[in-house]
Amino acid sequence: MRSMTIAERRARLARRHRLAPADRADDPAAIARSLVVLHATDPATVFLSVAARSARAVPADVERALYDDRSLLRMLAMRRTMFVAPIELVPVLQASTAEALADKQRRTYTRFVEKAGVVEDADAFFRDVAESAHRALLARGEATGAQLGADEPRLRTQIDPAPGKSYSKPTSITTWVLVTLGCEGRIVRGRPNGTWISSQYRWSPVEAWLPGGIPAVPADEAATALVERWLRAFGPAPLSDLRWWTGWSATAVRKALAPLDVAEVDLGGTTGLVLADDLEPTAPAEPWAALLPALDPTPMGWQERGWFLGGHGPSLFDRNGNIGPSLWWDGRIVGGWAQRADGEIVLRFLEDAGADARAAAEREAERMAAWYGGIRAVPRFRTPLERELTA
C-alpha cells in the first residue's frame, strides 16, 4: 500500500482548494467546483470563501453568479445543510440527497401538524397547502414567504412543534412548506432582502434557474458522481470522513463507491481512499496564508482534521462542531481571526509560525477588510476565540 504523507495532503489542499495564490480563481462558480460545494448555512460564508480564493473578485461578482448568471444555486443537501452548488451539480445533489431529505422533512412537519390537532388529515392538509403555495409562486414569479402567506392564508397556520417545552413557541408553517418544496426541487431561494449577509430570501420557481426543472438522474448514479467529486477534491481520506460529509450510512457510501476505481493508501497508520488515477504527487505550493471564514468548506470537508488543525480545536470550534474563522499558514491552521465592530480584521496566532507567516497573514487581513467594505458580519455560530477577539 502506497503511503501519502501529511505534506502531500497539505499540498493537495493548497492547490485543489485554490488557497495558494498561484491557484486562485476569479470565477465564483469555478471556486465552488473546486470544493464540490460552498457551505452556506451562514450567508456570509459563501462570499468570504470566494474572497479567500480569489485575487480580484468582489462581492458583486458572487451576487452576479448567484442571481444574474445563475451559475450557482443555493439548496439544502448533505446533512440537511445549506450549500451553494454549481448549477451542473444540482441534479446530482437532488437525486442523491435532496429527494430523501424532502420525504423526511415532509414526515417531520406533518407529524407536528398532526400533534397540534388543527386538521383531521395532516398529510393531506400539508400537501394541499404546498401545492397552493407553489401555484401562488408560479403566478407571482418571485415572492417572499410573507407575500405567499397573503396569497395562501393557510401558510399562516400556527403550530407549536414542542408543546409544553420552555424553548418552544408557536410558529407558522410557511417556512416548513417552502423548505419542503425546495427539497423537492420545485422552488429555490433567490436574491435576499438586504445585503450579502442577509438570510431573508425571496423564492422563485426552479425553472428560473433550470428551464424545464431539474433533470432526473438515477439515484445510484448520482451518489457515485457525488462521491467521485468529493474524492477528487478531498482525497485521500478515510471512509469515515466521506460518511461524515455525506451524512450517509456506511452501506450507502460503499454502494456509491463500488462503481469507482478506488485505491487504498496509508495515511500514517490510517487507511485512506483515493481515486486510482489520482495517485501522482502534487507539486508543493509556495508558502501561503489564508483567512478562511466560519464554516468554510475546506476545514468542514473532513471529520478527522488533526493533520491540519493540530490542537487548536477547542479555540476554533463551537460545541456542535462548527468551525469559526481560521488562520492558515502553508497548509495548516495556526490561529484565528475576527472582524470587530469598527471593521478592523484582528488576528490571533495560536502558535509561533514565524515572521513570514505573520506578514503574509497581515496582507490577507488587508484584503479581507477591503472585501467587507462597510459590511459588518457576526458568524452565525460563534466560537471561543472569535468571541474573545471581538469582546
Side-chain angles (χ1 to χ4, degrees):
M1 186 186 300
R2 184 192 158 179
S3 295
M4 278 206 181
T5 65
I6 288 177
E8 188 166 346
R9 295 184 78 186
R10 289 176 178 172
R12 286 179 174 232
L13 180 155
R15 312 213 72 150
R16 298 189 182 195
H17 293 198
R18 299 185 181 274
L19 291 169
D23 296 287
R24 289 174 178 167
D26 292 322
D27 177 10
I31 291 171
R33 291 184 193 103
S34 301
L35 296 150
V36 187
V37 287
L38 298 176
H39 206 297
T41 301
D42 187 335
T45 299
V46 175
F47 289 79
L48 299 178
S49 292
V50 170
R53 296 169 171 87
S54 173
R56 291 184 292 274
V58 296
D61 294 319
V62 184
E63 292 177 319
R64 187 178 306 111
L66 279 166
Y67 312 124
D68 298 325
D69 299 342
R70 299 184 176 181
S71 57
L72 296 171
L73 177 67
R74 186 177 277 105
M75 64 185 296
L76 282 177
M78 293 71 68
R79 310 185 311 281
R80 198 188 175 278
T81 298
M82 187 73 71
F83 294 101
V84 161
I87 197 69
E88 72 274 9
L89 188 61
V90 170
V92 167
L93 293 174
Q94 184 65 33
S96 67
T97 307
E99 291 292 348
L101 182 57
D103 185 57
K104 183 177 180 180
Q105 295 298 108
R106 189 186 308 104
R107 291 198 310 270
T108 297
Y109 297 141
T110 297
R111 188 165 60 250
F112 290 152
V113 175
E114 188 174 43
K115 286 183 177 180
V118 296
V119 294
E120 289 186 5
D121 188 336
D123 182 67
F125 170 79
F126 193 87
R127 291 176 183 274
D128 191 53
V129 174
E131 291 298 327
S132 179
H134 187 234
R135 288 193 297 271
L137 182 59
L138 288 172
R140 282 182 175 269
E142 182 183 68
T144 64
Q147 289 171 328
L148 293 174
D151 295 340
E152 171 45 87
R154 290 178 296 175
L155 285 171
R156 302 198 298 269
T157 302
Q158 294 287 305
I159 301 292
D160 188 343
K165 302 293 185 180
S166 60
Y167 57 81
S168 184
K169 62 180 181 180
T171 183
S172 77
I173 66 170
T174 302
T175 299
W176 298 353
V177 169
L178 297 180
V179 164
T180 303
L181 286 169
C183 291
E184 291 173 347
R186 301 171 70 188
I187 68 176
V188 298
R189 295 162 181 81
R191 193 181 295 271
N193 291 324
T195 67
W196 51 267
I197 65 172
S198 172
S199 59
Q200 299 297 318
Y201 301 106
R202 297 194 284 272
W203 294 85
S204 297
V206 70
E207 290 81 5
W209 265 254
L210 289 162
I214 299 175
V217 177
D220 290 349
E221 180 182 316
T224 295
L226 184 61
V227 300
E228 181 178 17
R229 288 195 181 217
W230 185 88
L231 283 172
R232 193 74 66 184
F234 293 91
L239 179 69
S240 56
D241 283 356
L242 180 53
R243 281 190 60 195
W244 177 83
W245 187 83
T246 57
W248 301 344
S249 68
T251 299
V253 170
R254 289 192 178 96
K255 183 179 179 181
L257 284 167
L260 299 175
D261 190 4
V262 176
E264 293 185 344
V265 294
D266 176 33
L267 302 177
T270 300
T271 299
L273 302 178
V274 65
L275 294 170
D277 66 356
D278 192 25
L279 289 165
E280 291 300 313
T282 298
E286 292 296 318
W288 54 274
L291 272 60
L292 298 189
L295 297 174
D296 184 85
T298 290
M300 294 300 290
W302 296 273
Q303 184 181 41
E304 207 310 292
R305 306 178 177 100
W307 57 280
F308 61 79
L309 178 62
H312 304 315
S315 296
L316 297 174
F317 281 79
D318 71 5
R319 294 179 180 178
N320 295 315
N322 301 302
I323 195 170
S326 56
L327 169 57
W328 293 65
W329 173 245
D330 206 17
R332 60 194 175 93
I333 293 177
V334 296
W337 63 279
Q339 183 198 41
R340 289 181 171 161
D342 62 0
E344 178 188 5
I345 302 297
V346 58
L347 309 176
R348 171 73 60 80
F349 280 85
L350 297 173
E351 60 181 81
D352 184 4
D356 289 346
R358 187 168 294 278
E362 289 173 352
R363 289 193 295 271
E364 286 300 300
E366 292 176 3
R367 236 172 39 88
M368 194 63 77
W371 179 280
Y372 274 105
I375 295 293
R376 303 292 177 262
V378 177
R380 179 163 297 184
F381 303 108
R382 306 196 68 186
T383 54
L385 182 59
E386 190 273 332
R387 288 181 180 275
E388 181 183 340
L389 291 175
T390 55

